[in-house]
Amino acid sequence: MALEIRRPEMTGRAPLVDGFQRRITYLRLSVTDRCDFRCSYCMPEAMKFLPRSEVLSLEELHKLALAFIARGVRKIRLTGGEPLVRRDMVELVQALGSRLGHGLDELTITTNGTQLALFADRLASAGVRRVNVSLDTLDPALFEKLTRRDRLDKVLEGIAAAKAAGLKVKINAVALKGLNEAELPDLIEWAHAQGHDITLIEVMPLGEVEGDRVDHYLPLCVVQDRLEERWSLSPSTHSSGGPARYFDIAATGGRLGLITPLTNNFCAGCNRLRVTATGQLYPCLGGGERVDLRAAMRSDNPEAMLDAALDEAMQIKPERHHFRIDARGAEPSQPRHMSMTGG
Ligand code: SF4
């Protein structure tokens, strides 16, 4: 059933401002917890996914997004799991795409790329201009080790299709000690040679995984020092509206982002909220605070209940995360996996 194309009532409702006077303008909306990969730092091989009955319908995801736009959210990133494994998700992109210029400034997506070749053209025609593709290595053997799937070719095909469709691609790579550590300069050079920005991300301690995160946590201050021995990294004023700090690298002709939750906290400038595919609003990636938007939406007075729920989220949003990866065998900072909140 096609989603109804309608403008959100810009009724001058109060913008979302939290207890630390941070204005929330960015929603990361997970449309599924399912994924066709099993990345070792994200989820266990035998990951148990949610029954479909618990996941929001397309109509509910759409209504929810409108409620956020009506409260001043300007950027929506669709995430997963892997968002493109949810087949009807393109309808949501098309419906939300019609908001661009009507309360919404940007609609984007984070994907692992395997389905991108199938959807790139439709994403572009729906108004998506940029996509983030998660890619930690160009080495097929390491790729299979990290994702537990032999699909590097599919991802590279997807990236090429996105570029051909006119989408601006940004590569997101998790920096992993002893795994892709030595390859990072080559990955950066490859991305820039393709005309793609690339962002390196520190591992975050979310959910139980096999092995110990201490073994693969690589502080990006260490990586930055090494890269500066090779290239001049000029700080850039560029912002994607997310937590990355950007640098221009004249030698490779491209832009490098660093997302450093553990070595350079960025919570003071937080502008975002996350909603899971089951309609649970997490005001902070690193916090356990949660507001049930699904219950609000399925109540007798969904609009008012949703509004009240968003107000509650502003009251309980914590100042910052308290991520740590410094003790072997330590509990993760949060029991839920990254795939639940879509990063
Ligand atoms: S960890 Fe929480 S407070 Fe910090 S930037 Fe992320 S969502 Fe915002």
Side-chain angles (χ1 to χ4, degrees):
M1 179 177 73
L3 288 174
E4 183 201 346
I5 302 288
R6 66 182 164 85
R7 303 264 177 278
E9 295 81 31
M10 306 308 286
T11 57
R13 304 243 278 283
L16 299 172
V17 179
D18 73 6
F20 306 94
Q21 299 321 307
R22 295 175 296 191
R23 173 87 186 259
I24 304 302
T25 57
Y26 178 14
L27 168 66
R28 296 176 67 103
L29 178 59
S30 171
V31 299
T32 180
D33 65 321
R34 292 167 189 260
C35 187
D36 51 352
F37 282 176
R38 296 289 181 279
C39 297
S40 53
Y41 53 79
C42 178
M43 64 169 85
E45 168 71 42
M47 183 67 177
K48 201 167 174 324
F49 293 120
L50 294 161
R52 291 191 199 288
S53 59
E54 288 194 23
V55 172
L56 296 183
S57 68
L58 211 62
E59 290 71 21
E60 288 175 322
L61 287 165
H62 185 219
K63 199 188 286 182
L64 212 154
L66 293 186
F68 278 94
I69 294 171
R71 296 294 301 269
V73 159
R74 290 284 168 272
K75 175 178 175 180
I76 295 180
R77 177 176 298 284
L78 301 174
T79 66
E82 168 47 44
L84 293 175
V85 298
R86 182 168 175 162
R87 283 286 171 254
D88 57 3
M89 127 87 177
V90 168
E91 267 188 67
L92 180 63
V93 175
Q94 287 154 348
L96 292 176
S98 73
R99 299 281 168 294
L100 291 165
H102 303 282
L104 194 60
D105 298 337
E106 186 175 9
L107 176 63
T108 183
I109 179 177
T110 293
T111 172
N112 66 20
T114 56
Q115 314 295 314
L116 206 40
L118 279 176
F119 294 106
D121 289 328
R122 279 178 282 173
L123 295 175
S125 51
V128 174
R129 292 291 164 265
R130 301 190 291 161
V131 293
N132 287 5
V133 181
S134 308
L135 180 64
D136 302 327
T137 177
L138 294 167
D139 170 355
L142 180 57
F143 184 94
E144 188 167 350
K145 178 178 175 175
L146 290 176
T147 64
R148 300 187 184 110
R149 298 291 181 272
D150 176 15
R151 298 246 187 94
L152 177 58
D153 53 344
K154 271 275 169 218
V155 173
L156 296 176
E157 186 195 321
I159 292 170
K163 187 177 177 184
L167 295 169
K168 177 77 182 133
V169 174
K170 179 159 80 77
I171 304 295
N172 279 353
V174 177
L176 299 160
K177 188 169 68 183
L179 294 169
N180 64 356
E181 180 175 2
E183 185 193 346
L184 293 176
D186 298 342
L187 191 58
I188 293 166
E189 246 170 352
W190 169 83
H192 290 168
Q194 310 288 320
H196 309 318
D197 286 354
I198 180 167
T199 291
L200 304 181
I201 306 171
E202 285 174 346
V203 168
M204 288 177 241
L206 291 169
E208 286 293 349
V209 292
E210 282 107 3
D212 200 308
R213 285 194 173 94
V214 167
D215 295 327
H216 298 307
Y217 166 53
L218 179 59
L220 285 182
C221 48
V222 172
V223 174
Q224 185 177 352
D225 291 347
R226 290 180 189 156
L227 292 176
E228 282 174 339
E229 284 162 19
R230 182 186 287 252
W231 300 312
S232 144
L233 270 58
S234 326
S236 160
T237 54
H238 172 75
S239 168
S240 58
R245 288 173 298 127
Y246 286 97
F247 300 84
D248 294 320
I249 306 180
T252 60
R255 185 156 49 207
L256 170 69
L258 299 178
I259 296 184
T260 53
L262 284 98
T263 54
N264 191 329
N265 187 285
F266 42 65
C267 297
C270 183
N271 64 346
R272 52 204 162 272
L273 297 171
R274 290 168 173 83
V275 175
T276 69
T278 57
Q280 305 312 303
L281 191 166
Y282 285 92
C284 173
L285 179 64
E289 299 77 6
R290 179 175 66 85
V291 180
D292 187 344
L293 301 185
R294 182 177 57 189
M297 230 176 338
R298 294 179 182 177
S299 70
D300 299 341
N301 188 352
E303 210 159 311
M305 293 298 286
L306 262 179
D307 243 0
L310 296 186
D311 291 336
E312 184 193 345
M314 290 303 97
Q315 282 144 28
I316 64 172
K317 183 172 170 65
E319 186 174 13
R320 55 165 293 162
H321 70 73
H322 297 283
F323 291 150
R324 299 175 62 137
I325 302 179
D326 52 10
R328 186 163 293 288
E331 292 288 310
S333 296
Q334 287 303 322
R336 64 178 189 277
H337 288 96
M338 185 70 95
S339 60
M340 281 299 295
T341 39

